[in-house]
Amino acid sequence: MQRAVFGWLPTGYTPRSFTEDHQNGEHTFKVMASLNGGRGGIVELTDFGVGPEPILGYLSGGIPAKPLRAAPVNGMQAHWIYKPGSGYGGKLRWHYGPHRWAEISVQGSANNPHTIYRIARSVTFGMTKPTAFPFRVKGLPDDLKIYLSTAGPGLGGGSGDSAAIDFAAGAYSMDNGLEISVRPAGLMARQLASDPGRKVTVDGHRAVDRRSTSGGVARHTLIVLGVNGFDVTVGASGQTLQRLQATGGITGLYHRITVLGTAPSKWTTAPIE
């Protein structure tokens, strides 16, 4: 759900991705806008949701960042984490409601105080707009929980629209989880030419099948190229991979994914059936 939106952005900046993150007991939402695909600059808005103010992060060398005096945003308390011109980009955080914090991080052409404040003052919070995904999946185990979902143009490192949803049975980690993702077709072909995974054909498409066990944790990833305009990745590990075995494992799950094509008008706001 897109729960915060930009009201104003500098000329040429376009929202590029929306991310909802449920990891580590927190619930954050991010929207990223960029100029010229990110080469001209990036603006990222983060809504931290309800709770105490998150930590400010660290400077180079592991030095904890400290709040720096800043003018209020729409009459609400604010502080800089990094001031524009500091070498870190500009990052402004403000208290927009009871127990609610947001911040804007800027790199590139919009990195100046006047522009950052104008963007911050224009943000609308409390939205409930669903994000459309270019795929849908059915037959997932009922006990899988969504931990991270992202959708928007350019997430795969190139042009086009990409999306990903990460799940887990139990606590999500590098050793226990499931990722379903799509990236514009062609982005992964060169990378996979030298991939150590087994080269296979799935439904007439070139694919790579990776299987491994490390530290007692099993992993299985299937990457299928050129499916209705996208390259599709389905990968799982640990307890979550075991949970999928009863319904055909990773390969069975891939066959329950429908890629909806590159036209946004065909995408769905209900990607899980």
Side-chain angles (χ1 to χ4, degrees), residues 230-247:
F230 290 94
D231 296 336
V232 181
T233 299
V234 187
S237 60
Q239 174 188 348
T240 304
L241 177 59
Q242 295 175 11
R243 187 71 180 82
L244 294 170
Q245 297 308 319
T247 54

Side-chain angles (χ1 to χ4, degrees), residues 77-190:
Q77 174 190 349
H79 45 254
W80 294 103
I81 299 176
Y82 312 132
K83 286 186 175 181
S86 64
Y88 294 94
K91 184 177 286 189
L92 179 69
R93 182 178 290 182
W94 73 102
H95 185 224
Y96 73 86
H99 309 292
R100 293 181 180 271
W101 291 86
E103 71 182 27
I104 286 179
S105 177
V106 178
Q107 300 281 347
S109 60
N111 187 21
N112 64 81
H114 174 77
T115 301
I116 293 172
Y117 265 91
R118 185 173 177 184
I119 296 170
R121 289 194 298 266
S122 79
V123 174
T124 298
F125 296 97
M127 307 296 291
T128 56
K129 179 182 177 181
T131 300
F133 283 75
F135 66 86
R136 62 174 180 264
V137 57
K138 61 182 180 181
L140 287 169
D142 292 338
D143 60 346
L144 294 192
K145 178 182 177 181
I146 297 175
Y147 280 86
L148 184 67
S149 55
T150 304
L155 302 180
S159 61
D161 297 274
S162 305
I165 306 179
D166 290 0
F167 311 79
Y172 178 80
S173 72
M174 292 295 290
D175 292 333
N176 179 45
L178 163 67
E179 177 196 16
I180 299 173
S181 66
V182 299
R183 294 175 176 82
L187 289 181
M188 303 183 70
R190 182 177 299 178

Side-chain angles (χ1 to χ4, degrees), residues 202 209 211 220 222 234 247-256:
V202 177
D209 190 311
R211 303 175 192 236
H220 184 189
L222 181 66
V234 187
T247 54
I250 290 300
T251 304
L253 178 56
Y254 169 77
H255 284 115
R256 298 194 299 276

